Amino acid sequence: MSSSKQALAHPASSADAAPGDKPGAAGRANGRGTPPPGSSSWRSRLYRWDMKASPYAFISPFFIVFGAFSLIPLLYTAWYSLHNVQLANLDGQTWAGLDNYENLLSSDFFWNALWNTFTIGVISTVPQLLMAIGLAHLLNYKLRGSTVWRVVMLTPYATSVAAATLVFVLLYSWDGGMINWLLDFVGIDPVNWRESDWGSQFAVSSIVIWRWTGYNALIYLAAMQAIPVDLYESAAIDGANRWQQFIHVTIPQLRPTILFTVVVSTIGATQLFGEPLLFGGVSGSKGGSEHQYQTLGLYMYDQGWIIGNLGKASAIAWSMFLILLIVAVIQLLISRRLRKSQ
Amino acid sequence: MTATELTTPQSTEPVKTRRERPRVMGAGKQLHAGPLTYVVLSLFALLSLAPLVWTAIAASRSNQRLAETPPPLWFGGNLFKNMERAWEEGGLGTAMFNTIFVAGMITISTVLFSTLAGFAFAKLRFKFSGVLLLLTIGTMMIPPQLAVVPLYLWMADLGWSNQLQTVILPTLCTAFGTFFMRQYLVQALPTELIEAARVDGASSLRVVWHVVFPAARPAMAVLGLLTFVFAWNDFLWPIIALNQENPTVQVALNSLGTGYVPDQAVIMAGALLGTLPLLIAFLLFGKQIVGGIMQGAVKG
């Protein structure tokens, strides 16, 4: 892993250097731009052109796809969010100004969806990452059949949202469901996992937790294996036991990786869609009979493609983006504060 | 994630002086797992596998038996009957073919374009390369929800609603793939090799074909597997872009699950069928996929 860390130092340095480069200096600077001696001037010109143009040709597919299917649509979504666009009448768009946004801000369902996205995000992300760290710590021991353990922990990742959720719907069903049956076994009253407020949110979160814990554990494991052995040696000499080593060496060393997984999980939680949709069955896009687990992603789908108001759906999409940006800024501030305090 | 945050911490001076002292038993060495570790890991393994095993159990039962308490804990004899019904009633045949086609096209193009772009970012010097790389990484922050309304409208305009190219086109190339290949090629592809080819007068395409592709092959395989898993399981855009007549597996499973008179055993058979190809791939290439995630995700 240490070599991969070296690789990471590269983008920052080249990013710093790039704006200062003089035109044409880049090709000569690395000494690779010189054509083979003795070739004709036509060939050498072609060669030099190839040297200059090919990097851009190689990266252009990504930027074309990104531009055509992400960047331009992103701007168009903003445009549509200021219009009245109905699914039933796609050509009859009319200017609506900020109507869609005002409509959202005064809608209880929007605030409900925002709140649900937050609570489901917290109860799915926090336990998931805590368990993943613990799991990674265990996987970091010398294990018999270590690869087998890792593959087994990752199998839920290979299960699709649709297949996983359909199974969990059955496991959580009110009567005859495996989970209520097990609860009954230990003397706990059955929970109405689909209708109750916190029960349904917990059920939806558990699907997320099940699918992603192993994946995050592998990310932590990779980072743990890159921690220098010296640090543990000196901690042991200072008299730290295993638990203290974990708290005072492993966790601080994992800090950047933890931040990374928190960012990725937050992005994922903001967009949560498939799990609650399928968990709700027929009333999926409503997020349950009382909208008790309707997330922002579901709300957008419901408004856009079930009710048919694509202008409003665009406004919801942009709200999601703004919320993500706010979250990103908060996370940046927290990580900066943490780094300063160290 | 900025690059500086992930640089390896350097061992400091005090550590070196301490090292000269006699080693403490067990310190620093990778320790063998105790019995408790195996117990906890087995519990996690059980939790990971149980829902999948139970899918198979439920798929092999009848609908009535699933509704009874206690739920069935062992296999029944209806597996193939239920699978056949799911295949026909859920339209899983078309769905399976569509998904293999879509995921296959996405995988081929993503691996190809990511290798080219990754090579350029890893080994070629060009103006704005650093800025463009940061931009590439930054695009991973943009949620797919922000594009679906215009994409839907455009595809409708083109008369492409419910056609597979609507699903394939937006994913022809990914930021993750580009960055993954870049990180691999930075270390796996010796710069001298490229320089040698250059001195021999090789064009960029020849360098790519004879030097870059052979060096990148292991990472291309891993990226291919990760992309295939991603494309197979993608949900949001397919469910908007495709209808029940021409679905991918995920869209078909959704309509199977939202049927008004659901036969749970058949739904479970469908869920099993929809996951089976990936599970088989996982059994065959699990080690590579695990390695790929451990290698790629930390840097992501």
Side-chain angles (χ1 to χ4, degrees), chain B residues 186-204:
Chain B
V186 159
Q187 23 158 333
L189 178 63
T191 309
E192 303 83 60
L193 221 57
I194 306 169
E195 278 169 4
R198 288 288 191 206
V199 171
D200 290 345
S203 68
S204 296

Side-chain angles (χ1 to χ4, degrees), chain A residues 5 8 10 32 50-51 54 56 77 140 142 144 160 163 167 178 181 210 229 233 242 253 260 281 321 339, chain B residues 3 5-6 8-9 23 28 30-31 33 38 47 54-55 70 123 127 146 182 204 233 250 258 275 297:
Chain A
K5 303 275 170 171
L8 268 167
H10 192 76
R32 273 186 262 141
D50 174 40
M51 288 293 294
S54 57
Y56 297 104
T77 303
N140 200 19
K142 237 189 186 115
R144 271 169 210 277
S160 69
V167 182
M178 181 77 77
W181 179 69
W210 180 72
V229 170
E233 278 181 7
R242 308 296 300 282
Q253 289 292 311
F260 166 73
F321 192 39
R339 211 177 313 159
Chain B
E5 280 171 314
L6 286 180
T8 319
R23 270 173 181 265
Q30 201 192 13
L31 287 154
Y38 284 102
L47 285 174
W54 197 76
T55 310
K123 294 291 170 181
K127 253 209 275 182
L146 271 160
R182 180 207 170 268
S204 296
N233 289 337
Q250 309 312 324
T258 50
T275 308

Side-chain angles (χ1 to χ4, degrees), chain B residues 24 29 67 102 120 124 180 227:
Chain B
V24 176
K29 269 186 284 177
V102 166
L124 302 180
F180 182 88
T227 309

Side-chain angles (χ1 to χ4, degrees), chain A residues 30-79:
Chain A
N30 62 6
R32 273 186 262 141
T34 40
S39 58
S40 70
S41 76
W42 178 80
R43 272 196 64 174
S44 76
R45 211 177 306 155
L46 189 73
Y47 184 87
R48 236 175 314 172
W49 186 83
D50 174 40
M51 288 293 294
K52 255 189 195 154
S54 57
Y56 297 104
F58 291 159
I59 63 169
S60 60
F62 169 74
F63 285 97
I64 292 170
V65 170
F66 166 69
F69 298 105
S70 289
L71 188 64
I72 298 173
L74 181 135
L75 301 174
Y76 264 94
T77 303
W79 178 247

Side-chain angles (χ1 to χ4, degrees), chain B residues 78-190:
Chain B
N78 284 338
L79 181 64
F80 293 105
K81 206 182 90 191
N82 287 335
M83 278 186 166
E84 216 176 295
R85 279 189 59 197
W87 187 268
E88 279 158 15
E89 289 169 31
L92 279 180
T94 323
M96 208 72 109
F97 174 81
N98 283 348
T99 314
I100 290 171
F101 180 72
V102 166
M105 294 296 281
I106 289 175
T107 302
I108 291 169
S109 91
T110 301
V111 169
L112 186 70
F113 290 142
S114 299
T115 308
L116 285 178
F119 162 60
F121 280 128
K123 294 291 170 181
L124 302 180
R125 297 267 172 93
F126 53 99
K127 253 209 275 182
F128 308 121
S129 63
V131 179
L132 289 174
L133 181 64
L134 283 180
L135 193 68
T136 307
I137 299 165
T139 62
M140 288 194 253
M141 285 284 289
I142 300 175
Q145 275 90 347
L146 271 160
V148 292
V149 172
L151 286 183
Y152 180 82
L153 294 174
W154 296 345
M155 298 302 171
D157 260 359
L158 288 166
W160 282 2
S161 303
N162 306 321
Q163 294 183 25
L164 295 181
Q165 67 267 32
T166 48
V167 178
I168 297 172
L169 282 173
T171 330
L172 278 178
C173 200
T174 61
F176 169 78
T178 301
F179 192 56
F180 182 88
M181 289 311 300
R182 180 207 170 268
Q183 295 304 86
Y184 181 82
L185 287 174
V186 159
Q187 23 158 333
L189 178 63

Side-chain angles (χ1 to χ4, degrees), chain B residues 210-226:
Chain B
H210 291 290
V211 182
V212 178
F213 280 169
R217 203 173 293 153
M220 286 166 93
V222 169
L223 178 63
L225 286 166
L226 291 176

